[in-house]
Amino acid sequence: MKNSIIIVLACLALVFGVSCTNDLNTEPEVELSLDELLAQDENAVQGILSRLYASFALSSVTGPDDSDIADDAGESPFLRGIINLQDFTADAMKNRWGDDGLDQLTTTSDWDENNKFFRYLFNRIYFTIPQTNNLLSVINNIDVDNKPAVIAETRFIRALAYYYLIDTFGKGVLATEENFGNSTPLPEASRQELFNFVEAELLDIEADLPTTNTYGRATKAAGQMLLSKLYINAEVYTGTARFSDALTEINKVINEGGFSLANDFLSLFSADNNTSTEIIFPLIADADTSQSFGNTTYIVNGSLSTETMVLADFGASDGWTGHRASKAWYGLYGDLDTSTDARARLFWTEGHNFEMTDYREWTDGYPSTKFRNTNFNSDSTPTNFSGTDFPLFRLADAFLMHAECVLRDGGGSRAEALDFVNQVRTRSNAAPITQAELTLDFIIDERGRELNLEGQRRSDLIRFGRFTGSRYIWPWKGNTANGTSIPAHFNLFPIPLPALQANPNLKQNPGF
């Protein structure tokens, strides 16, 4: 039971009665004000903070069939949106369901402002941000234990939501506690303006974030990891490279965070991964107390099927027959039958075809068994919902980011970069590489081997100049079986139509 963060149902001070694209003026419909709630329960702030963290993994704290926003409870949770937009739009994972709009993601084709999956993530971002603003707008006027840390954590949560806005849509409105409750539509904020805001926020809160914290809550290392993510993508986001700054923050995570690589790769994606020494910041799942169709349940159940697999072997009692990897992922390991890499064994090949001739056909492509709902260290009982936490930030990612920054002339030692990469590889029994083999081409492939299905792949491919265009082609890119070039404006997603209608100051991204 991973309930270190207690989700307090009574803390629902902020309940949006409408789709959050209608909330771009930052004024929610409130059932109970924060002041009123605190008057009734002086400990409510901790409950509200827990609820803010939960907004990244759950559709609602009232259960998996309820939604905080006027979108489908099963389809719209934040983490599900990250996987849909970061992994299914990229090379490794494809979905076969053909839901309205999902085909367009998995084939990177025909994107427009009407696709509901773009709306879901945009809405979730603008559900979380006003909640943080409400807490920040009143917390200075109340007595709270460890107030500086609480404020810092709240600002971290807001910065994380804005990070995904910067990365996926590249623009929006800058809603803060300073304009909270403003009924006038806010002006459009550019990618650069949003970048500057998040950078300043993360720098400002670093001193107040705790070095250690309750499991599932932000620490200094989580803030530093988020800032390093912002910096390593800065050239994409702003046109100015910041690899030296990224390396500075990554080194803090590596040298001061107290984390170490897990002994076994598979333990990171098992139901008892809350004991991991490697995970820097997780999104919590629990099969009993925090059920959701949009946390790792989406990944685990979506990758299983009774057609070709035994669900109980992976701790599940429900398989959705949905997600399979393409050869763009498992091809990175060479011959799966002879590879010594433990990560290469995390694909289900029996009854499946190597080639994805038809992305709608379940047996075309190999399902990934990387995430599962079984305990690594003990026996477990299959459940309908996953209890496996999602490792949003972990040390192996920091090691690979360190090496990339060194190779991009961000400073540091190539010998140290090689050591970090080889620590990641040898942990999975992959052969160590030489200094001559440590190139940027190798890094993007190693990130694919290590981090695929962790919400990173699209951003990585964009940073390496391989997402749009024809430099890198993968199966079903551009809606052809062998893949084809896609236009450069697909490096951003279109602003959803309801958001444009709700705020006339917002303009559509170029090309859509």
Side-chain angles (χ1 to χ4, degrees):
M1 297 288 290
K2 286 165 286 187
N3 53 2
S4 299
I5 290 185
I6 306 297
I7 298 173
V8 182
L9 301 185
C11 79
L12 277 172
L14 302 167
V15 178
F16 287 72
V18 294
S19 173
C20 289
T21 52
N22 291 330
D23 185 58
L24 292 177
N25 61 9
T26 77
E27 186 174 20
E29 294 183 10
V30 179
E31 291 187 348
L32 187 65
S33 74
L34 185 56
D35 289 324
E36 292 170 332
L37 183 63
L38 291 171
Q40 295 179 17
D41 181 4
E42 62 184 10
N43 296 316
V45 166
Q46 293 301 323
I48 294 170
L49 193 59
S50 296
R51 198 270 172 271
L52 293 176
Y53 282 111
S55 70
F56 289 101
L58 306 183
S59 60
S60 170
V61 294
T62 56
D65 296 316
D66 294 328
S67 180
D68 296 320
I69 60 178
D71 284 323
D72 184 274
E75 291 182 337
S76 69
F78 208 123
L79 177 55
R80 187 161 173 163
I82 293 171
I83 298 301
N84 282 339
L85 270 60
Q86 291 282 34
D87 287 296
F88 293 130
T89 62
D91 53 348
M93 294 300 298
K94 300 294 134 190
N95 179 278
R96 60 171 294 273
W97 294 330
D99 294 9
D100 178 29
L102 195 54
D103 273 349
Q104 285 74 23
L105 301 186
T106 209
T107 62
T108 52
S109 64
D110 299 322
W111 293 356
D112 65 31
E113 68 274 12
N114 295 303
N115 189 300
K116 65 182 179 181
F117 294 100
F118 302 144
R119 185 183 79 240
Y120 290 161
L121 186 62
F122 198 89
N123 284 359
R124 285 291 171 182
I125 290 169
Y126 278 106
F127 172 73
T128 297
I129 288 170
Q131 288 191 93
T132 61
N133 290 338
N134 193 11
L135 179 55
L136 292 170
S137 70
V138 300
I139 196 169
N140 286 323
N141 300 320
I142 59 177
D143 292 328
V144 180
D145 291 339
N146 301 316
K147 183 185 291 188
V150 170
I151 293 173
E153 285 185 69
T154 306
R155 292 168 71 185
F156 167 83
I157 293 168
R158 181 173 65 182
L160 183 60
Y162 271 123
Y163 169 78
Y164 283 109
L165 181 69
I166 293 167
D167 187 80
T168 54
F169 297 102
K171 64 167 66 173
V173 299
L174 186 52
T176 71
E177 68 273 28
E178 299 300 324
N179 53 37
F180 179 76
N182 186 353
S183 60
T184 303
L186 295 174
E188 179 179 277
S190 68
R191 210 176 200 183
Q192 180 73 65
E193 290 171 321
L194 294 171
F195 180 99
N196 293 345
F197 175 77
V198 172
E199 178 189 18
E201 286 285 285
L202 292 172
L203 290 171
D204 195 50
I205 65 176
E206 183 173 354
D208 289 329
L209 283 172
T211 301
T212 61
N213 206 345
T214 303
Y215 178 74
R217 288 172 58 170
T219 60
K220 286 189 192 302
Q224 291 156 354
M225 194 70 176
L226 180 55
L227 186 55
S228 68
K229 289 283 184 186
L230 190 74
Y231 284 147
I232 203 170
N233 290 298
E235 191 167 17
V236 173
Y237 299 159
T238 71
T240 301
R242 301 283 295 273
F243 296 112
S244 177
D245 291 327
L247 187 62
T248 296
E249 297 302 318
I250 295 166
N251 282 335
K252 293 177 186 177
V253 174
I254 294 172
N255 298 324
E256 303 169 14
F259 300 96
S260 59
L261 290 182
N263 291 328
D264 192 290
F265 181 77
L266 188 56
S267 68
L268 290 160
F269 310 99
S270 300
D272 52 356
N273 62 353
N274 57 302
T275 63
S276 176
T277 60
E278 181 174 336
I279 296 176
I280 297 167
F281 181 68
L283 301 180
I284 291 179
D286 189 285
D288 297 316
T289 61
S290 55
Q291 296 176 346
S292 174
F293 295 105
N295 56 15
T296 52
T297 301
Y298 180 54
I299 304 174
V300 175
N301 292 12
S303 301
L304 300 176
S305 174
T306 55
E307 288 184 22
T308 52
M309 310 163 78
V310 178
L311 305 187
D313 290 346
F314 304 98
S317 54
D318 195 10
W320 300 348
T321 316
H323 318 323
R324 290 101 62 245
S326 79
K327 66 181 180 181
W329 185 0
Y330 41 79
L332 294 173
Y333 301 99
D335 187 338
L336 296 185
D337 292 331
T338 61
S339 176
T340 63
D341 194 327
R343 300 168 299 187
R345 294 195 292 271
L346 300 180
F347 299 96
W348 187 267
T349 61
E350 185 177 347
H352 285 259
N353 304 314
F354 180 88
E355 294 288 345
M356 188 176 284
T357 304
D358 183 352
Y359 72 89
R360 290 278 193 91
E361 177 57 51
W362 169 247
T363 54
D364 278 6
Y366 299 155
S368 169
T369 60
K370 176 177 176 176
F371 282 87
R372 67 270 313 282
N373 191 38
T374 49
N375 287 336
F376 183 80
N377 297 299
S378 63
D379 294 335
S380 53
T381 302
T383 55
N384 285 333
F385 292 93
S386 172
T388 302
D389 298 337
F390 185 82
L392 195 68
F393 299 148
R394 60 185 180 95
L395 186 62
D397 187 10
F399 279 0
L400 295 177
M401 291 170 67
H402 178 286
E404 180 183 338
C405 289
V406 171
L407 292 173
R408 293 187 187 276
D409 299 323
S413 160
R414 289 192 172 232
E416 186 175 42
L418 179 65
D419 177 62
F420 286 149
V421 170
N422 280 333
Q423 284 189 53
V424 172
R425 288 182 58 76
T426 57
R427 184 259 297 278
S428 293
N429 203 34
I433 63 168
T434 66
Q435 189 64 253
E437 293 173 301
L438 183 60
T439 64
L440 286 173
D441 286 344
F442 181 88
I443 289 294
I444 186 60
D445 286 348
E446 188 65 20
R447 288 187 67 81
R449 286 183 283 265
E450 180 71 16
L451 297 165
N452 254 325
L453 205 48
E454 294 182 54
Q456 311 260 9
R457 192 60 174 168
R458 167 191 159 274
S459 298
D460 285 351
L461 291 176
I462 290 173
R463 188 170 68 253
F464 279 79
R466 297 188 177 194
F467 186 69
T468 58
S470 58
R471 180 183 174 191
Y472 175 44
I473 300 298
W474 60 81
W476 292 103
K477 179 180 181 179
N479 201 23
T480 65
N482 294 323
T484 189
S485 177
I486 59 175
H489 68 269
F490 273 36
N491 282 326
L492 285 172
F493 296 111
I495 305 296
L497 181 60
L500 298 173
Q501 294 172 335
N503 188 336
N505 297 325
L506 275 180
K507 305 303 179 186
Q508 184 57 272
N509 280 321
F512 296 108

